[in-house]
Amino acid sequence: MKKLRVLPEVWDDLDEAVSWYDEQGGKGLGDRFAAAFDGQLEPIAELAGTHGKVYKDFSRVFAKPFPYAIYFRIHHEWVVVTLLWHTARNPNDLKTTLGERAAGEGT
């Protein structure tokens, strides 16, 4: 199993989505979303390298049943979770954001 690193921006992404779900979907829905996200972190680390690449060296899993994807990549002995992204957003913006965050990793 690889070590897991979650970029600080991902926690910001999560906080924003949790707030939105609590406001729009009712109390507790944000907690369910956070649990769906958290539930993917250990499997990402355990199964590192088994996911197909979807953009450059990034792979993704989904925070089911929510319409969010968790983007990550392997960097040395680490699995770096780079982005939490609503799947209805513009894919061109996705590529730009992944590139910006990858550059900010210091890699």
Side-chain angles (χ1 to χ4, degrees):
M1 181 163 79
K2 299 252 185 209
K3 296 177 194 175
L4 185 70
R5 177 177 177 224
V6 180
L7 293 184
E9 296 90 343
V10 175
W11 298 117
D12 294 339
D13 298 338
L14 180 63
D15 288 344
E16 182 180 319
V18 165
S19 294
W20 188 90
Y21 276 115
D22 279 341
E23 291 169 12
Q24 301 298 316
K27 190 151 180 69
L29 190 57
D31 290 340
R32 285 183 40 217
F33 176 72
F37 171 79
D38 289 341
Q40 291 298 327
L41 296 180
E42 188 174 329
I44 287 170
E46 286 179 355
L47 301 171
T50 64
H51 302 87
K53 305 274 190 318
V54 295
Y55 177 70
K56 295 191 177 182
D57 55 350
F58 289 97
S59 300
R60 76 172 171 223
V61 296
F62 295 96
K64 292 180 181 178
F66 296 91
Y68 276 82
I70 303 165
Y71 287 84
F72 59 94
R73 66 183 183 148
I74 297 172
H75 183 68
H76 302 295
E77 73 276 5
W78 293 91
V79 177
V80 181
V81 178
T82 307
L83 182 63
L84 178 63
W85 189 262
H86 193 288
T87 57
R89 293 180 64 186
N90 185 328
N92 292 325
D93 292 341
L94 168 68
K95 293 173 184 178
T96 300
T97 304
L98 281 173
E100 290 170 351
R101 291 198 181 171
E105 289 175 21
T107 58

